[in-house]
Amino acid sequence: MQDFRILRQYHNNPLPNHKNPLPKRRMVDTRPLSLIKPDLIIKPVCERTPLVPSTSKLSTYQILGPGMILLKDYISIKDQVDIVNICQKVGMGSGGFYTAREFERYIMCFGRNWDPITGYENRCRSDGSEPPPLPNELISLVQAIIQDAQAHLKELPSMHPDICVVNFYPSSHGRLDLHQDHDESFDSIRRGLPVVSISIGEMADFVYGHTKDKLEGILLRSGDVLVFGGESRHIFHGVDEVGQYTVPRPLLDESGFGYGRLSLTFRQI
Ligand code: MN
């Protein structure tokens, strides 16, 4: 915790008030969401260098079950900054972040549209926009993650992502109810193709379990990568709590991202 310092929360686009009763009709809010301070200059895409794991040797890790591993501190601060900038640039535009009263987070997708209510089938954004393509540097990063995870989990199947769901959880009040990921194809789920989730920003309490009544919790920190596939592909999981003032100082200084948590979740559907 010594690496973190208290930060001021700033946000000019507050979440809907969840104390109000839910409306009968679904309200999707597609107003642009900025992840960073407006006065920060975003590095153009062409200046970015390829995303690579933080060290040439493997970072520390924790095996959480069959086919499930946490790669700790895997994404370097530099790459976290690049990922924030990609999400900021794309997330502000058409097909970018949106939210709804049912959610306690903002969502955007690369590659394919997916939505917690409509799944992969229907257009979820009220403006009907197409999802932006999945950036090649993110695909390469996920493939490096899978290879490193397979070094510890021989049974873990390979996966080529065709969608990345980006969730933005505001500090302290973002959360995600317990659920299973089962919107992908029968074949993808049957083969246990792994889900890869990258955490950036505030810490989060992640809960998971093979049954709903036997849950365990882990802390996901900025730069951590969680992989669950194989026999753990069906786990129940959710985000119990998102921290406040826990964004690593270098990430804030270099990206201006300091008041929430980004999770990028990759799947092969
Ligand atoms: Mn999930």
Side-chain angles (χ1 to χ4, degrees):
M1 292 296 288
Q2 284 163 354
D3 293 336
F4 302 112
R5 75 158 218 189
I6 290 181
L7 306 169
R8 185 172 63 85
Q9 198 175 359
Y10 49 89
H11 197 328
N12 57 10
N13 190 9
L15 273 184
N17 182 355
H18 294 281
K19 288 180 182 136
N20 290 336
L22 294 179
K24 290 203 172 62
R25 196 165 62 82
R26 188 170 184 226
M27 302 287 286
V28 174
D29 179 354
T30 57
R31 281 176 298 173
L33 168 77
S34 178
L35 300 175
I36 64 174
K37 290 185 210 170
D39 53 350
L40 259 146
I41 297 161
I42 302 164
K43 221 190 261 184
V45 174
C46 57
E47 286 180 25
R48 281 191 268 111
T49 48
L51 302 175
V52 291
S54 60
T55 52
S56 53
K57 59 181 172 42
L58 289 181
S59 56
T60 55
Y61 67 94
Q62 190 178 348
I63 292 176
L64 303 173
M68 184 170 184
I69 188 168
L70 175 64
L71 300 172
K72 297 181 185 177
D73 196 22
Y74 185 91
I75 310 288
S76 68
I77 289 288
K78 180 204 148 293
D79 285 353
Q80 293 179 47
V81 171
D82 283 352
I83 292 170
V84 167
N85 287 341
I86 292 171
C87 294
Q88 164 74 5
K89 184 181 165 67
V90 180
M92 289 281 285
S94 165
F97 283 106
Y98 69 98
T99 189
R101 279 183 180 268
E102 307 92 300
F103 307 160
E104 288 166 284
R105 64 195 196 279
Y106 292 80
I107 300 174
M108 67 167 284
C109 297
F110 288 101
R112 289 283 300 264
N113 269 330
W114 174 87
D115 177 86
I117 310 287
T118 60
Y120 289 107
E121 299 306 319
N122 300 308
R123 287 187 189 280
C124 44
R125 289 176 54 99
S126 53
D127 61 0
S129 55
E130 294 295 327
L134 187 47
N136 283 330
E137 58 264 56
L138 291 180
I139 294 175
S140 303
L141 180 63
V142 169
Q143 289 181 328
I145 289 167
I146 294 284
Q147 280 180 13
D148 285 343
Q150 286 171 332
H152 303 294
L153 296 172
K154 302 273 180 272
E155 74 276 17
L156 191 73
S158 294
M159 182 271 279
H160 185 89
D162 40 33
I163 179 168
C164 169
V165 180
V166 184
N167 288 302
F168 172 70
Y169 300 82
S171 299
S172 81
H173 59 284
R175 56 186 306 283
L176 177 61
D177 288 334
L178 204 61
H179 67 282
Q180 292 170 297
D181 289 0
H182 48 41
D183 287 346
E184 291 69 40
S185 68
F186 176 79
D187 191 52
S188 174
I189 294 173
R190 180 187 60 79
R191 290 160 62 199
L193 302 192
V195 175
V196 170
S197 178
I198 294 174
S199 293
I200 293 175
E202 302 277 17
M203 294 178 186
D205 278 330
F206 182 86
V207 291
Y208 65 97
H210 287 271
T211 57
K212 278 184 175 176
D213 54 0
K214 201 175 169 207
L215 297 175
E216 296 190 67
I218 45 163
L219 198 58
L220 297 181
R221 296 169 192 266
S222 196
D224 287 353
V225 178
L226 181 68
V227 179
F228 57 95
E231 287 178 43
S232 293
R233 180 61 176 73
H234 293 278
I235 55 160
F236 291 93
H237 58 283
V239 174
D240 234 13
E241 198 175 347
V242 172
Q244 190 169 23
Y245 314 132
T246 63
V247 176
R249 180 71 208 185
L251 176 62
L252 177 80
D253 285 345
E254 291 174 38
S255 70
F257 176 69
Y259 62 93
R261 170 175 182 258
L262 277 177
S263 85
L264 286 81
T265 305
F266 300 84
R267 300 182 184 84
Q268 180 176 332
I269 61 173

